[in-house]
């Protein structure tokens, strides 16, 4: 790869990373191109070499964020081999939390700002969000068929509850180290499968 092309890609990645951090912290509307440029340590006008608008930057931040968490979850489940459905769901919980809390400003920015966006900015990202939801639905359906969760449990509300609880952790969880994330995942799995009843 030519040095100029490599430098161009690095600049583009810096813009996206800076935008994700700002979107996560202060929202889409409150973030300006000038702020993104300042954080990326480039001139404001240089952004237009890579992107036509703030909305175009947003599109890529949202796409990268959800793709990252989706791929992390799929890889964790697929690499598990033959394990119980409970273990698969546990691994999915763990991978979702790691992607959200530990590895990606893009993922946490996606979760924090998506609900604030106008419809025309949400629409292009709906198919990928739907595919991720359906992936989780299938995990729960398989567990229900195998008798590992209750037969009367409705899958869609369960998935919405679980994903909502996982995503909310960005508002209250203090990331100290990877072990803390894994312990949170284990506690979440126990709560989902065993509830709060005294043993």
């Amino acid at each position: 790869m030519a040095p100029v092309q490599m430098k161009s890609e690095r600049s583009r990645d810096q813009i996206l990373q800076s935008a994700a951090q700002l979107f996560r912290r202060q929202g889409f509307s409150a973030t300006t191109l000038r702020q993104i440029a300042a954080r990326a340590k480039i001139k404001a006008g240089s952004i237009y070499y890579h992107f036509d608008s703030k909305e175009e930057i947003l599109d890529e931040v949202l796409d990268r964020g959800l793709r990252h968490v989706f791929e992390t979850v799929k890889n964790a489940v697929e690499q598990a081999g033959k394990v119980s459905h409970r273990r698969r769901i546990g691994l999915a919980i763990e991978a979702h939390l790691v992607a959200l809390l530990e590895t990606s400003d893009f993922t946490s920015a996606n979760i924090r700002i998506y609900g604030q966006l106008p419809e025309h900015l949400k629409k292009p990202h709906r198919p990928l969000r739907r595919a991720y939801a359906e992936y989780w639905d299938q995990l729960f359906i398989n567990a229900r068929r195998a008798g590992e969760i209750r037969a009367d449990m409705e899958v869609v509300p369960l998935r919405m509850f679980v994903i909502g609880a996982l995503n909310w952790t960005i508002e209250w969880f203090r990331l100290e180290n990877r072990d803390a994330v894994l312990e949170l995942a284990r506690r979440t799995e126990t709560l989902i499968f065993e509830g709060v009843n005294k043993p």
Side-chain angles (χ1 to χ4, degrees):
M1 186 180 291
V4 173
Q5 187 177 358
M6 289 177 64
K7 183 178 179 182
S8 175
E9 288 187 6
R10 281 198 302 270
S11 296
R12 194 173 192 279
D13 284 342
Q14 283 178 323
I15 292 167
L16 290 167
Q17 187 73 47
S18 299
Q21 291 166 355
L22 289 167
F23 291 160
R24 176 185 180 181
R25 190 172 66 193
Q26 62 191 38
F28 174 71
S29 297
T31 298
T32 67
L33 287 175
R34 190 172 296 279
Q35 289 174 328
I36 294 171
R39 192 173 189 88
K41 298 180 180 178
I42 62 171
K43 293 180 180 179
S46 299
I47 286 181
Y48 291 104
Y49 176 79
H50 303 278
F51 300 97
D52 292 333
S53 64
K54 188 172 72 165
E55 287 76 12
E56 189 176 330
I57 296 173
L58 172 73
D59 273 340
E60 187 146 349
V61 168
L62 292 178
D63 187 71
R64 282 195 185 191
L66 188 51
R67 286 188 191 281
H68 175 71
V69 72
F70 198 171
E71 289 168 6
T72 302
V73 168
K74 281 199 298 185
N75 288 341
V77 172
E78 288 169 4
Q79 290 172 12
K82 292 185 177 181
V83 295
S84 69
H85 295 286
R86 171 172 175 162
R87 182 59 185 142
R88 286 176 176 272
I89 292 168
L91 287 167
I93 289 169
E94 180 181 301
H96 184 103
L97 286 174
V98 167
L100 173 59
L101 297 170
E102 190 177 72
T103 61
S104 178
D105 288 314
F106 294 96
T107 300
S108 50
N110 184 310
I111 289 165
R112 182 163 280 169
I113 68 173
Y114 184 81
Q116 308 166 8
L117 299 174
E119 177 61 26
H120 72 280
L121 294 178
K122 290 180 178 180
K123 188 175 180 180
H125 303 280
R126 285 230 164 86
L128 184 58
R129 294 176 75 88
R130 191 178 304 116
Y132 187 54
E134 289 171 353
Y135 182 84
W136 275 88
D137 288 349
Q138 195 60 53
L139 289 176
F140 288 125
I141 288 168
N142 292 341
R144 188 174 62 184
R145 286 174 179 163
E148 293 185 29
I149 61 175
R150 287 167 36 179
D152 63 345
M153 183 63 65
E154 292 185 38
V155 165
V156 172
L158 175 60
R159 178 253 300 162
M160 293 175 71
F161 169 78
V162 171
I163 297 297
L166 297 179
N167 289 348
W168 185 247
T169 58
I170 63 172
E171 303 296 341
W172 62 266
F173 183 75
R174 290 187 178 182
L175 177 62
E176 296 173 358
N177 53 55
R178 183 180 178 85
D179 287 342
V181 177
L182 299 182
E183 177 58 30
L184 175 62
R186 284 190 288 270
R187 291 202 310 267
T188 304
E189 179 189 347
T190 299
L191 178 62
I192 291 167
F193 280 93
E194 299 175 21
V196 295
N197 285 336
K198 186 176 180 180

